[in-house]
Amino acid sequence: DGAGTAPPRETAMPTALADTPTPRAETPTAEAETPAVGEPAGVLADAGREVFARECAECHGARGEGLVGPVLIGEDTNLPAFGTAEGLYEFISQGMPLDAPGSLPEQEYLEVLAFLLLENARVEEDTPLGMEGLSDIDLQ
């Protein structure tokens, strides 16, 4: 009947060790790190507008109107297909630009994302935007 012997307990793997501090390397410049949460979307989007013009406009048009690539700004955009800002970030950071996928710094992908989110009225200029919380921004 199994009395006295309990089945082994399954325990979930901890996502972080609470008692063990995570060592952090000193970073000489804050620009080298992508903010987890915090920079206003408008500030990121200003930089993202320049990155978009340099890296994206050739295929997506100067105003995101679509050329070879799909429309990214406006009513006919395909952004809802990505579900959330996190889905869009994953796609662009791994697959864009098409001729050199994943070649831009993480910060520039975040800046382009902020530009697209702001231009498509998915966030406000003062919305803190960083890597955390992207899954909370609905694109549908």
Side-chain angles (χ1 to χ4, degrees):
D1 74 312
T5 58
R9 283 184 46 198
E10 291 185 28
T11 57
M13 291 293 292
T15 56
L17 299 175
D19 297 334
T20 308
T22 304
R24 293 188 178 258
E26 292 299 317
T27 306
T29 62
E31 294 174 347
E33 291 184 14
T34 301
V37 174
E39 280 193 76
V43 171
L44 291 168
D46 286 343
R49 182 175 282 107
E50 293 176 23
V51 177
F52 187 90
R54 183 183 78 230
E55 300 290 341
C56 312
E58 180 179 343
C59 293
H60 295 285
R63 293 179 305 281
E65 70 274 18
L67 295 173
V68 177
V71 174
L72 296 179
I73 298 171
E75 291 188 26
D76 295 326
T77 180
N78 69 345
L79 299 186
F82 297 98
T84 66
E86 181 178 45
L88 178 57
Y89 177 85
E90 291 297 321
F91 178 79
I92 64 175
S93 67
Q94 294 172 17
M96 294 290 128
L98 199 54
D99 61 351
S103 62
L104 303 179
E106 188 176 83
Q107 179 70 21
E108 289 188 356
Y109 285 115
L110 185 61
E111 291 165 351
V112 168
L113 177 68
F115 170 67
L116 294 175
L117 293 175
L118 199 59
E119 289 296 311
N120 286 291
R122 302 297 183 167
V123 296
E124 300 292 326
E125 285 194 22
D126 60 350
T127 301
L129 195 62
M131 297 307 295
E132 292 178 14
L134 293 179
S135 62
D136 296 331
I137 300 172
D138 187 17
L139 299 180
Q140 297 181 342

